[in-house]
Amino acid sequence: MAVTVSLVALFGLVLFFLLRSKSLGYGAAFIAAGFGFFLASTGAAGPINQLATAVIDAVKQL
């Protein structure tokens, strides 16, 4: 778990700086995929799925 959280933090930080510097390319896509993969295996996956479901349901009712 500690290694997973560390990789999530690392990928998130790198992705943040890539997006901020507007250097998007294949590297940014790889970082984003890695960030999502490791984030899905943390405890944050449940609340993120619930938030996404709530947003989708809210958009459907507009």
Side-chain angles (χ1 to χ4, degrees):
M1 176 83 171
V3 173
T4 303
V5 173
S6 299
L7 288 174
V8 167
L10 176 67
F11 278 123
L13 188 65
V14 171
L15 181 59
F16 171 77
F17 285 117
L18 284 173
L19 291 173
R20 187 164 169 98
S21 68
K22 297 180 183 169
S23 59
L24 301 173
Y26 294 114
F30 176 75
I31 295 297
F35 178 68
F37 176 77
F38 286 111
L39 184 65
S41 65
T42 65
I48 290 172
N49 286 335
Q50 291 173 352
L51 176 66
T53 302
V55 169
I56 290 170
D57 289 341
V59 168
K60 284 181 184 177
Q61 296 190 9
L62 289 178

